[in-house]
Amino acid sequence: MKNKAWIPFAIFVVLVAFLAIGLKLNPREVPSPLFGKPAPAFSAPRLHAPEKTLSNVDMLGKVWMLNVWASWCVACRVEHPVLMNFAKTNTLPIIGLDYKDTAVDGTKWLAQHGDPYETSVTDPDGRIGINFGVYGVPETFIIDKAGVIRHKHIGPVTDAALKDIIVPMVRELQK
Amino acid sequence: MKLHHVLLKTLKAIGIAVIVNVSVSYASEALPLADDPVVEQRLNTIAEELRCLVCQNESLAGSRADLALDLRRELRGLIKAGKSDAEIKDFMVSRYGDFVLYRPPVKPQTWLLWFAPLILLCIGLLVLVRTVKHSQSKHSRAGEDDWELETPVSASEKKKD
């Protein structure tokens, strides 16, 4: 029996390994089933020109970024300077989705913090957000020329995420 | 006399108006609760089985998060449109993934999740059976040992005698 004493120890090591991996995972990052699927159809009024709409069809043929933001979103304030700098590089068109916000608050917020978006569209009742599987703000999607979702970034976009993941991917998709 | 009469009538009218107004405002406030109990019942049954993504350990039925309110609104719409439970769950899964289901579907990715408890139970039973058998055989062998030991002792005792 004594020579089998290593068995509980081995089980313990396996358990610790599982727990260690579990600790490193972020439960907030739920893998999106939309990955690799066409972006949900939408047609929504533009924030700065409500009489005009923007739809997903308008963006076909371009690799573009959809950034979900809101004036009430605190994490967006962290992300905003990063997006402002990124917009200056003209890597790809950034479309904003003003999620569950009023046009007045949204416009005021962009006037105050700067506007990195080519256009922002409004989603006051959150329906477009639901179709995109948004469950927190900010969230960012990369959509290819065929209108397929290629990447989803949950939480504020960071310089590191842009440099290491998003920009290389966009360059590849733009080819 | 006439003036009295008129005043009384006016007061009565005001009284009725107040009562009517009060009852009307109560009625309009109570309306959302009375809003088709059949739909609400079905919504609750479905939403109990779905996870709220904002507060991940709460069901969609129990959560007061903003997104949960919106999703309940969407589900209410789907119920009213006559969608089946499966179609409604598909609506949620196609947007948020299997994670929203408290009962994940059985598929290769979730085999470990579904069958690991059964496998662990089998391993446990196997270990139990082996341990019991082992200790039984050890016990019987120990019995033999005792018996073997006894002879020399009794022999030595005999010598003493």
Side-chain angles (χ1 to χ4, degrees):
Chain A
M1 223 23 199
K2 258 177 197 168
N3 55 357
K4 283 179 184 167
W6 60 272
I7 292 177
F9 182 70
I11 293 171
F12 173 75
V13 168
V14 170
L15 199 67
V16 165
F18 268 97
L19 292 176
I21 295 166
L23 270 179
K24 292 270 170 88
L25 294 174
N26 183 358
R28 293 263 150 218
E29 288 194 2
V30 181
S32 173
L34 288 165
F35 181 78
K37 297 212 177 105
F42 68 90
S43 179
R46 295 169 190 236
L47 180 64
H48 292 295
E51 69 283 354
K52 281 198 237 163
T53 59
L54 181 86
S55 84
N56 55 315
V57 181
D58 297 330
M59 298 309 291
L60 285 177
K62 286 182 222 171
V63 181
W64 58 290
M65 177 187 270
L66 180 77
N67 177 250
V68 185
W69 65 278
S71 68
W72 47 263
C73 155
V74 182
C76 298
R77 281 159 210 240
V78 178
E79 180 188 61
H80 212 66
V82 175
L83 282 182
M84 287 298 288
N85 279 328
F86 182 57
K88 282 179 202 153
T89 66
N90 276 321
T91 309
L92 81 173
I94 309 174
I95 304 295
L97 181 71
D98 190 12
Y99 176 72
K100 285 186 73 79
D101 206 355
T102 64
V104 177
D105 288 343
T107 317
K108 208 160 67 180
W109 197 79
L110 286 185
Q112 202 181 339
H113 295 90
D115 187 352
Y117 307 110
E118 188 176 282
T119 312
S120 274
V121 291
T122 55
D123 183 22
D125 55 11
R127 281 220 166 81
I128 301 173
I130 287 175
N131 286 338
F132 271 86
V134 170
Y135 60 90
V137 195
E139 278 185 21
T140 304
F141 298 84
I142 301 293
I143 298 158
D144 72 9
K145 290 176 187 172
V148 173
I149 295 178
R150 289 313 188 101
H151 182 66
K152 179 186 184 183
H153 183 97
I154 295 158
V157 168
T158 56
D159 283 321
L162 281 173
K163 191 172 139 259
D164 299 337
I165 301 163
I166 294 173
V167 173
M169 174 184 273
V170 169
R171 293 264 180 256
E172 192 58 40
L173 291 172
Q174 280 172 336
K175 274 179 191 169
Chain B
M1 271 292 260
K2 253 191 173 176
L3 190 75
H4 253 141
H5 208 73
V6 169
L7 264 175
L8 215 75
K9 265 195 167 174
T10 323
L11 273 176
K12 254 189 191 170
I14 291 171
I16 288 165
V18 165
I19 290 165
V20 167
N21 266 335
V22 164
S23 61
V24 163
S25 72
Y26 270 131
S28 69
E29 269 171 33
L31 200 64
L33 278 175
D35 183 40
D36 203 343
V38 183
V39 171
E40 290 310 299
Q41 180 66 44
R42 245 192 92 194
L43 174 67
N44 260 326
T45 321
I46 297 168
E48 281 291 349
E49 291 278 312
L50 298 169
R51 186 195 301 273
C52 168
L53 285 121
V54 180
C55 23
Q56 297 182 342
N57 289 326
E58 248 185 316
S59 79
L60 202 56
S63 176
R64 296 173 68 100
D66 224 27
L67 180 68
L69 292 176
D70 287 354
L71 285 171
R72 284 208 292 273
R73 178 196 68 201
E74 294 302 307
L75 298 193
R76 209 173 272 127
L78 291 174
I79 290 170
K80 283 182 179 164
K83 302 279 186 207
S84 72
D85 285 12
E87 280 172 312
I88 291 168
K89 279 184 184 164
D90 273 352
F91 172 89
M92 290 294 291
V93 171
S94 67
R95 282 159 181 76
Y96 299 102
D98 288 336
F99 186 68
V100 292
L101 301 174
Y102 272 125
R103 278 175 227 259
V106 182
K107 56 184 188 183
Q109 268 172 293
T110 57
W111 281 353
L112 193 65
L113 179 71
W114 277 98
F115 303 119
L118 202 71
I119 293 166
L120 286 177
L121 183 72
C122 288
I123 293 172
L125 281 176
L126 218 72
V127 169
L128 182 73
V129 168
R130 277 192 59 172
T131 313
V132 168
K133 269 192 178 170
H134 195 84
S135 77
Q136 264 179 354
S137 64
K138 204 170 142 191
H139 200 78
S140 55
R141 233 189 291 135
E144 281 167 22
D145 286 352
D146 280 351
W147 182 78
E148 274 171 11
L149 263 173
E150 224 167 298
T151 358
V153 168
S154 51
S156 64
E157 271 176 359
K158 266 181 188 169
K159 267 184 188 173
K160 266 185 192 171
D161 279 339

